[in-house]
């Protein structure tokens, strides 16, 4: 048996494949958006529509948890069906689902009607979740069985570090910035430091988290573009291989 590749060898293998790097970056961007939106969507409903905590939890389940489950299953099934027309559907389904999800998510967080917000967020999260099955199938297709488990472990480590490390942090900073802009001068002293419940402070806080969530949701478009770039890199590598150049693609 050939020796087991080291972590460093696996990392080098991943770094030498532009298509894999594009997909890994796309996954990190989605992870950043997802962790941020998961952490603040409940707060959004509380601040924006003044719902009690238990209702915010139910809305979270309706708008995020349920469509995630349905979207992942639907994305996998539809991609398997589309693969009859070509392997390019692995990256194309991921790109389409993420880019299509962004307008629904952005509009949902900017709604003044709670029911409309919930409906748009449900649709957006369902579409966004559809990318997961084809994304991981695409990544597996670019890895040999000998290194697949280690490479996927490293990929998930990087994506989780980006998502957990930057997602909630950036959204919190953006929320405060938007709230300060909505309130005007003195927001930190009047509303934050004093923990004021004045209506203008509450209104600014609601506008802040809504604006930050809508901006973060737009990152899905960037992630979708990364999948398109991954597809271009795969086509270029395969064309190079077919002309007698590289022996391996991705």
């Amino acid at each position: 048996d050939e020796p087991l590749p080291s972590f460093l060898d696996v990392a080098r293998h991943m770094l030498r494949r532009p298509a894999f790097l594009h997909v890994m970056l796309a996954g990190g961007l989605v992870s950043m958006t997802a962790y941020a939106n998961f952490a603040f969507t409940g707060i959004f409903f509380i601040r924006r529509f003044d719902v009690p905590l238990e209702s915010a939890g139910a809305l979270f389940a309706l708008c995020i948890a349920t469509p995630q489950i349905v979207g992942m299953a639907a994305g996998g099934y539809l991609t398997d069906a589309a693969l009859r027309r070509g392997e390019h559907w692995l990256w194309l389904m991921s790109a389409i689902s993420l880019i299509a999800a962004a307008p629904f998510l952005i509009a949902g967080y900017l709604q003044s009607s709670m029911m409309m917000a919930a409906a748009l967020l449900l649709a957006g999260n369902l579409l966004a979740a559809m990318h997961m099955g084809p994304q991981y199938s695409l990544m597996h297709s670019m890895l040999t069985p000998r290194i697949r488990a280690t490479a996927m472990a490293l990929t998930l480590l990087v994506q989780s570090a980006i998502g957990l490390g930057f997602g909630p942090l950036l959204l919190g900073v953006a929320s405060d910035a938007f709230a300060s802009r909505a309130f005007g001068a003195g927001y930190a002293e009047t509303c934050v430091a004093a923990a004021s419940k004045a209506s203008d402070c509450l209104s600014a806080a609601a506008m802040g988290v809504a604006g930050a969530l809508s901006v973060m949701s737009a990152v899905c478009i960037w992630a979708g573009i990364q999948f398109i770039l991954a597809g271009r890199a795969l086509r270029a590598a395969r064309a190079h291989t077919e002309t007698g150049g590289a022996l391996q693609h991705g």
Side-chain angles (χ1 to χ4, degrees):
D1 292 343
E2 60 180 284
L4 183 68
S6 67
F7 276 99
L8 187 58
D9 290 335
V10 175
R12 289 196 188 105
H13 181 92
M14 295 161 63
L15 292 172
R16 286 197 299 264
R17 282 149 180 81
F20 193 90
L21 293 178
H22 283 303
V23 176
M24 187 163 63
L25 176 57
L29 293 170
V30 173
S31 179
M32 183 176 70
T33 302
Y35 280 119
N37 289 10
F38 292 172
F40 282 83
T41 294
I43 296 172
F44 162 76
F45 280 110
I46 292 171
R47 291 183 181 178
R48 187 73 180 88
F49 303 109
D50 196 28
V51 301
L53 185 60
E54 59 270 20
S55 297
L59 286 165
F60 179 91
L62 173 67
C63 298
I64 292 184
T66 301
Q68 287 281 315
I69 296 170
V70 176
M72 283 188 285
Y77 180 81
L78 291 174
T79 303
D80 283 343
L83 283 175
R84 299 172 184 173
R85 301 182 179 181
E87 293 185 1
H88 63 282
W89 277 100
L90 286 174
W91 60 264
L92 189 56
M93 180 65 75
S94 295
I96 291 172
S97 66
L98 289 169
I99 294 172
F104 288 93
L105 295 172
I106 294 169
Y109 288 120
L110 296 178
Q111 291 299 308
S112 57
S113 163
M114 186 178 74
M115 294 302 295
M116 185 59 71
L120 288 168
L121 293 178
L122 188 153
N125 281 299
L126 189 150
L127 285 167
M130 289 176 64
H131 89 280
M132 296 186 69
Q135 174 193 341
Y136 289 111
S137 294
L138 177 60
M139 298 179 90
H140 286 180
S141 73
M142 290 187 278
L143 300 166
T144 62
R146 188 66 171 167
I147 66 168
R148 190 171 293 152
T150 301
M152 290 307 301
L154 288 173
T155 298
L156 292 171
L157 175 64
V158 171
Q159 291 180 353
S160 297
I162 294 173
L164 286 170
F166 293 99
L169 173 63
L170 291 176
L171 200 142
V173 171
S175 178
D176 287 343
F178 280 116
S180 179
R181 182 175 180 179
F183 182 84
Y187 173 74
E189 298 78 9
T190 304
C191 300
V192 180
S196 174
K197 300 295 183 182
S199 60
D200 50 352
C201 289
L202 295 177
S203 177
M207 293 177 66
V209 73
L213 283 164
S214 64
V215 170
M216 183 63 75
S217 297
V219 174
C220 287
I221 299 173
W222 181 5
I225 292 171
Q226 291 300 139
F227 278 109
I228 294 172
L229 294 175
R232 291 180 60 184
L234 281 170
R235 287 198 302 268
R238 285 169 181 166
H240 187 58
T241 300
E242 290 171 359
T243 58
L247 295 179
Q248 294 181 339
H249 73 270

